[in-house]
Short mmCIF file of all heavy atoms in Angstrom, two decimals:
data_model
loop_
_atom_site.label_atom_id
_atom_site.label_comp_id
_atom_site.label_asym_id
_atom_site.label_seq_id
_atom_site.Cartn_x
_atom_site.Cartn_y
_atom_site.Cartn_z
N ARG A 21 -1.51 -20.94 11.95
CA ARG A 21 -0.59 -19.93 11.48
C ARG A 21 -1.36 -18.81 10.83
O ARG A 21 -2.24 -19.21 9.93
CB ARG A 21 0.38 -20.47 10.63
CG ARG A 21 1.45 -21.33 11.25
CD ARG A 21 2.46 -21.75 10.20
NE ARG A 21 3.17 -20.74 9.65
CZ ARG A 21 4.38 -20.28 10.09
NH1 ARG A 21 4.89 -20.68 11.20
NH2 ARG A 21 4.98 -19.24 9.55
N LEU A 22 -1.28 -17.59 11.17
CA LEU A 22 -1.92 -16.48 10.52
C LEU A 22 -0.95 -15.75 9.68
O LEU A 22 0.15 -15.56 10.01
CB LEU A 22 -2.42 -15.43 11.63
CG LEU A 22 -3.47 -15.91 12.41
CD1 LEU A 22 -3.83 -14.78 13.44
CD2 LEU A 22 -4.70 -16.26 11.63
N ARG A 23 -1.24 -15.67 8.37
CA ARG A 23 -0.56 -14.90 7.43
C ARG A 23 -1.47 -14.05 6.72
O ARG A 23 -2.34 -14.42 6.11
CB ARG A 23 0.17 -15.96 6.43
CG ARG A 23 1.05 -15.27 5.42
CD ARG A 23 1.64 -16.25 4.51
NE ARG A 23 2.64 -17.04 5.16
CZ ARG A 23 3.86 -16.73 5.20
NH1 ARG A 23 4.32 -15.74 4.58
NH2 ARG A 23 4.75 -17.66 5.75
N PRO A 30 -2.10 -7.99 -7.05
CA PRO A 30 -3.43 -7.98 -7.72
C PRO A 30 -4.14 -9.20 -7.69
O PRO A 30 -3.39 -10.37 -7.80
CB PRO A 30 -3.21 -7.51 -9.06
CG PRO A 30 -1.97 -6.93 -9.14
CD PRO A 30 -1.05 -7.66 -8.04
N ALA A 40 1.65 -24.98 -10.77
CA ALA A 40 3.03 -25.31 -11.03
C ALA A 40 3.86 -24.11 -11.47
O ALA A 40 5.10 -24.05 -11.24
CB ALA A 40 3.03 -26.23 -12.27
N GLU A 41 3.13 -22.96 -11.99
CA GLU A 41 3.85 -21.81 -12.35
C GLU A 41 4.05 -20.84 -11.15
O GLU A 41 4.92 -20.09 -11.23
CB GLU A 41 3.07 -21.03 -13.41
CG GLU A 41 2.93 -21.89 -14.73
CD GLU A 41 1.94 -21.22 -15.75
OE1 GLU A 41 1.15 -20.40 -15.25
OE2 GLU A 41 1.90 -21.57 -16.89
N GLY A 54 15.91 -12.44 7.98
CA GLY A 54 14.52 -11.97 7.71
C GLY A 54 13.87 -12.02 9.07
O GLY A 54 14.43 -11.97 10.18
N ALA A 58 9.56 -18.86 12.74
CA ALA A 58 8.79 -19.63 13.64
C ALA A 58 7.56 -18.86 14.21
O ALA A 58 6.63 -19.27 14.78
CB ALA A 58 9.50 -20.18 14.83
N THR A 65 3.83 -6.02 3.51
CA THR A 65 3.21 -5.08 2.56
C THR A 65 4.26 -4.37 1.74
O THR A 65 5.41 -4.39 2.03
CB THR A 65 2.23 -4.11 3.36
OG1 THR A 65 1.40 -3.43 2.44
CG2 THR A 65 3.03 -3.19 4.24
N VAL A 79 14.53 9.69 4.56
CA VAL A 79 13.19 9.78 5.38
C VAL A 79 13.14 8.57 6.31
O VAL A 79 12.79 8.65 7.51
CB VAL A 79 12.06 9.81 4.44
CG1 VAL A 79 10.73 9.57 5.19
CG2 VAL A 79 11.98 11.16 3.66
N GLN A 90 4.45 10.30 11.32
CA GLN A 90 3.78 9.02 11.68
C GLN A 90 2.91 9.38 12.91
O GLN A 90 3.37 9.54 14.08
CB GLN A 90 4.79 7.84 12.09
CG GLN A 90 5.52 7.26 10.94
CD GLN A 90 6.13 6.05 11.42
OE1 GLN A 90 5.54 5.01 11.67
NE2 GLN A 90 7.49 6.17 11.53
N SER A 91 1.59 9.26 12.72
CA SER A 91 0.67 9.61 13.75
C SER A 91 0.79 8.59 14.86
O SER A 91 0.48 8.85 16.07
CB SER A 91 -0.78 9.69 13.23
OG SER A 91 -1.10 8.47 12.64
N LEU A 104 23.05 4.84 11.29
CA LEU A 104 22.66 3.42 11.76
C LEU A 104 23.62 2.37 11.27
O LEU A 104 24.14 2.47 10.17
CB LEU A 104 21.29 3.28 11.16
CG LEU A 104 20.08 4.00 11.73
CD1 LEU A 104 18.84 3.56 11.04
CD2 LEU A 104 19.97 3.90 13.20
N GLY A 107 23.95 -2.87 15.81
CA GLY A 107 24.08 -2.61 17.20
C GLY A 107 23.55 -1.30 17.59
O GLY A 107 23.28 -1.03 18.77
N ARG A 109 20.84 1.44 18.58
CA ARG A 109 19.49 1.22 19.25
C ARG A 109 18.73 2.56 19.33
O ARG A 109 19.34 3.56 19.33
CB ARG A 109 19.89 0.73 20.70
CG ARG A 109 20.59 -0.55 20.76
CD ARG A 109 21.02 -0.99 22.15
NE ARG A 109 19.87 -1.30 22.96
CZ ARG A 109 19.67 -0.62 24.17
NH1 ARG A 109 20.54 0.12 24.65
NH2 ARG A 109 18.58 -0.98 24.94
N ALA A 124 -5.98 -0.22 27.42
CA ALA A 124 -5.19 0.72 26.47
C ALA A 124 -3.89 1.15 27.21
O ALA A 124 -3.82 1.23 28.45
CB ALA A 124 -6.10 1.98 26.33
N THR A 130 12.11 -0.90 22.24
CA THR A 130 13.52 -0.74 22.12
C THR A 130 13.97 -1.50 21.13
O THR A 130 14.03 -2.67 21.16
CB THR A 130 14.15 -0.98 23.55
OG1 THR A 130 13.56 -0.26 24.62
CG2 THR A 130 15.63 -0.81 23.45
N VAL A 133 19.30 -2.41 15.78
CA VAL A 133 19.61 -2.68 14.39
C VAL A 133 20.58 -3.96 14.22
O VAL A 133 21.44 -4.05 14.93
CB VAL A 133 20.30 -1.51 13.66
CG1 VAL A 133 20.78 -1.89 12.24
CG2 VAL A 133 19.38 -0.24 13.64
N ALA A 139 20.57 2.38 1.81
CA ALA A 139 19.67 2.52 0.64
C ALA A 139 19.12 1.21 0.09
O ALA A 139 18.49 1.25 -0.97
CB ALA A 139 20.36 3.43 -0.42
N ASP A 156 7.21 -9.95 23.14
CA ASP A 156 8.46 -10.38 23.56
C ASP A 156 9.51 -10.08 22.59
O ASP A 156 10.70 -9.49 22.90
CB ASP A 156 8.59 -11.91 23.87
CG ASP A 156 7.76 -12.15 25.14
OD1 ASP A 156 7.51 -11.20 25.96
OD2 ASP A 156 7.40 -13.44 25.24
N HIS A 160 11.68 -6.68 12.41
CA HIS A 160 11.05 -5.84 11.31
C HIS A 160 12.17 -5.66 10.27
O HIS A 160 13.35 -5.32 10.47
CB HIS A 160 10.73 -4.37 11.85
CG HIS A 160 9.61 -3.64 11.06
ND1 HIS A 160 8.94 -2.68 11.57
CD2 HIS A 160 9.42 -3.81 9.76
CE1 HIS A 160 8.10 -2.24 10.68
NE2 HIS A 160 8.45 -2.79 9.50
N ALA A 186 -1.56 -15.98 22.46
CA ALA A 186 -2.67 -16.56 23.04
C ALA A 186 -3.96 -16.04 22.38
O ALA A 186 -4.95 -16.69 22.42
CB ALA A 186 -2.72 -16.10 24.50
N ALA A 189 -5.74 -13.73 16.70
CA ALA A 189 -6.82 -13.10 15.87
C ALA A 189 -6.80 -11.55 16.19
O ALA A 189 -7.11 -10.75 15.30
CB ALA A 189 -8.08 -13.75 16.09
N ILE A 192 -3.39 -9.59 15.06
CA ILE A 192 -3.19 -9.33 13.62
C ILE A 192 -4.07 -8.14 13.24
O ILE A 192 -3.74 -7.40 12.35
CB ILE A 192 -3.45 -10.58 12.84
CG1 ILE A 192 -2.94 -10.32 11.34
CG2 ILE A 192 -4.98 -10.88 12.72
CD1 ILE A 192 -1.43 -10.36 11.21
N LEU A 195 -1.43 -5.44 14.08
CA LEU A 195 -0.22 -5.51 13.25
C LEU A 195 -0.44 -5.09 11.90
O LEU A 195 0.20 -4.25 11.34
CB LEU A 195 0.41 -6.89 13.43
CG LEU A 195 1.59 -7.14 12.51
CD1 LEU A 195 2.76 -6.11 12.73
CD2 LEU A 195 2.07 -8.58 12.62
N LYS A 207 5.20 6.84 2.39
CA LYS A 207 5.15 7.19 0.97
C LYS A 207 4.77 8.54 0.76
O LYS A 207 5.41 9.25 0.12
CB LYS A 207 4.03 6.25 0.28
CG LYS A 207 3.79 6.64 -1.16
CD LYS A 207 2.62 5.77 -1.61
CE LYS A 207 2.14 6.12 -3.01
NZ LYS A 207 3.16 5.99 -4.08
N PRO A 214 11.47 17.53 -0.78
CA PRO A 214 12.35 17.94 -1.97
C PRO A 214 13.39 16.99 -2.13
O PRO A 214 13.92 16.54 -1.11
CB PRO A 214 12.75 19.38 -1.60
CG PRO A 214 12.53 19.62 -0.17
CD PRO A 214 11.48 18.58 0.23
#
Side-chain angles (χ1 to χ4, degrees):
R21 288 181 62 93
L22 290 177
R23 180 181 292 265
E41 297 169 345
T65 191
V79 169
Q90 285 191 71
S91 58
L104 290 180
R109 296 173 68 231
T130 303
V133 172
D156 293 340
H160 204 155
I192 196 67
L195 170 60
K207 174 182 173 66

